[in-house]
Amino acid sequence: MKTKSSAAATFLKQNLVLCGIVVLIMVTAILQPKFLGAANLTNVMRQLWPLPFIALGMTFVIIGGFIDLSVVGMISLVAVVTVSLIDPLGQVGAILVGILLGALLGYITGTVLTTCGAMTQAEVLFITYGMSSVYMAIGLIFTNAETLRIARCTKPITIFNALGSGTVGIIPVVLIVFVVLLVIMHLFHTKTLAGRAISLMGGNKDAAYLCGFNVKRSMRMVYTISGVMSALGAISLVSRVTTATASCGTGYETNAILCVVVGGTTLKGGKGSVLRTMLGVVLITLLGNCMNMLGLSTYMQTVMRGAVLVVAIWLDNRKEL
């Protein structure tokens, strides 16, 4: 029979991120009482987006045993294309084209990787970085390096306004959209053959191939998923900030990877959960907000995020011992 101490240790080990969130909230609330105020909590909700969408797509890529730095370019290109199409196509048409463009860019990235024979994280790291540069360059050419503003559109932008600041009661509209999407992707990963194939591919590509799974097709699929999620992230981003540039996706790739790793998805591939990734998103977002509330400098915040990533990777490696 397990003792209370061993049971507590097991719970702590299995729910480290959740415990970290609770401790972070308690410590910050003591040091800065305004942290739990309605104004700050609303601000935290706004700071979440677009990271959850991007991290959701990155989860599938990392579970599959890969990495994706092309999300920077995809977010940037989808953002400028979507905003530029509001007037000619209307807001619904612009959003649909943006999502389809994200899927296409993700599929192109996956196809380039399979054509090049890139099957390890080290190989895909540099190729996806190169693809990101290509997408950002296309965005710069498309906009002539100018900033696009939703406010200048003559067609209705009610959907963007709803995603950017709309609520149902006290619940943000974008959160409702994301929760529905999160449930769908969780069921896809855990209940479908294609979803389980991603985990098998990440755990052992040779075994997946011998079991009859088309590894290259699964690889293209995870990058297409990443492209769609990046597109949704781009749409939520422009809805919140009301502008789009050819470099607006910069920085989100590292934060997404950080959230996935902190959430418990192993960098080695094969194991992970989209639900736990969302805990990682909450922790990283709260960490940034807490450091702002406590008046820490931008440089110190960068140090803290780097330290969190190092600790998360260390804990990931400890699981294998």
Side-chain angles (χ1 to χ4, degrees):
M1 181 179 296
K2 289 186 177 180
T3 63
K4 291 183 178 180
S5 58
S6 62
T10 301
F11 176 84
L12 179 62
K13 183 178 179 180
Q14 295 177 346
N15 300 276
L16 195 58
V17 179
L18 182 59
C19 294
I21 292 173
V22 173
V23 171
L24 185 62
I25 292 174
M26 291 175 61
V27 172
T28 308
I30 293 171
L31 297 176
Q32 178 52 268
K34 292 182 180 180
F35 173 72
L36 294 178
N40 185 60
L41 293 179
T42 301
N43 185 44
V44 171
M45 291 300 299
R46 289 176 179 171
Q47 289 177 346
L48 273 173
W49 316 103
L51 188 55
F53 290 106
I54 303 164
L56 182 57
M58 189 68 73
T59 302
F60 284 97
V61 175
I62 294 180
I63 289 175
F66 304 107
I67 207 79
D68 188 9
L69 300 185
S70 68
V71 295
V72 176
M74 290 192 290
I75 294 167
S76 303
L77 183 54
V78 169
V80 296
V81 169
T82 300
V83 173
S84 68
L85 292 178
I86 294 176
D87 277 343
L89 299 181
Q91 55 184 342
V92 175
I95 290 173
L96 290 177
V97 170
I99 294 172
L100 289 175
L101 176 60
L104 176 62
L105 295 176
Y107 183 82
I108 289 173
T109 300
T111 301
V112 169
L113 291 171
T114 54
T115 302
C116 294
M119 286 294 165
T120 65
Q121 280 188 344
E123 293 170 332
V124 303
L125 179 72
F126 294 103
I127 295 177
T128 55
Y129 175 78
M131 296 302 295
S132 179
S133 299
V134 170
Y135 298 149
M136 289 182 69
I138 294 173
L140 286 167
I141 295 170
F142 182 78
T143 62
N144 197 26
E146 295 180 354
T147 299
L148 305 183
R149 303 181 187 279
I150 292 181
R152 293 177 180 172
C153 298
T154 58
K155 292 286 184 69
I157 54 173
T158 52
I159 296 178
F160 291 94
N161 289 336
L163 290 174
S165 57
T167 60
V168 178
I170 61 172
I171 303 175
V173 172
V174 67
L175 177 59
I176 297 174
V177 173
F178 177 75
V179 169
V180 172
L181 184 63
L182 177 62
V183 171
I184 292 173
M185 298 309 291
H186 173 68
L187 293 175
F188 166 74
H189 181 220
T190 58
K191 302 297 182 181
T192 68
L193 183 61
R196 292 193 293 269
I198 295 173
S199 296
L200 180 58
M201 176 178 67
N204 191 319
K205 293 178 180 60
D206 292 333
Y209 176 78
L210 293 174
C211 288
F213 290 105
N214 189 322
V215 174
K216 290 186 176 181
R217 183 173 61 192
S218 295
M219 189 174 178
R220 288 191 293 268
M221 180 175 64
V222 297
Y223 279 95
T224 301
I225 292 173
S226 180
V228 172
M229 294 301 111
S230 295
L232 291 171
I235 293 167
S236 70
L237 176 62
V238 298
S239 298
R240 180 169 66 88
V241 303
T242 70
T243 61
T245 67
S247 60
C248 62
T250 302
Y252 284 109
E253 80 287 10
T254 52
N255 283 333
I257 294 170
L258 177 58
C259 292
V260 174
V261 176
V262 168
T265 297
T266 174
L267 280 171
K268 297 178 179 66
K271 296 179 182 179
S273 165
V274 295
L275 299 180
R276 288 189 174 274
T277 291
M278 292 310 105
L279 287 177
V281 170
V282 172
L283 178 61
I284 297 305
T285 304
L286 280 176
L287 180 62
N289 180 262
C290 292
M291 289 189 292
N292 286 331
M293 292 291 290
L294 296 175
L296 294 182
S297 68
T298 303
Y299 306 114
M300 184 56 66
Q301 292 186 31
T302 302
V303 171
M304 290 296 294
R305 288 192 178 92
V308 169
L309 179 59
V310 170
V311 171
I313 294 175
W314 177 75
L315 291 173
D316 179 46
N317 288 328
R318 292 286 297 175
K319 294 176 185 177
E320 305 297 325
L321 298 179

